[in-house]
Amino acid sequence: MGITATIMNIATGQPIQKMSFGRMPKPWASFNLATGELVTAERIDVGKPEPGKFAAPVHVWVKVKPPA
C-alpha cells in the first residue's frame, strides 16, 4: 500500500503538488517535483484520519528554489 502525500512549500506554507510514495518517506529523502526540480524533505507531518476514514493525511515540507 502506497502513501499519497501533499508536498508543501516550507517558505510559504502553500501546497505544491500531490505525490505517491511506495512507503513513508524519510526526512532526508530527495525526489523530483513535477517541474523537474530536485528537492529534499525537510519535515514530514502525519495528521489524524477523518472520522470513519483509514488514511491519515501526510504533508512533506520541502524548500523550493525561488523562480529566477
Side-chain angles (χ1 to χ4, degrees), residues 5 7 9-10 16-17 20 29 32 37 40 50 52 58 62 64-65 68:
I7 309 302
N9 186 336
I10 204 163
I16 300 172
Q17 70 182 47
S20 294
N32 288 331
E37 182 178 355
T40 302
E50 295 179 22
V58 177
V62 298
V64 181
K65 293 178 189 169

Side-chain angles (χ1 to χ4, degrees), residues 28-51:
W28 56 84
S30 294
F31 52 90
N32 288 331
L33 296 176
T35 60
E37 182 178 355
L38 180 65
V39 294
T40 302
E42 300 283 329
R43 184 176 88 209
I44 298 174
D45 294 334
V46 180
K48 288 185 175 182
E50 295 179 22

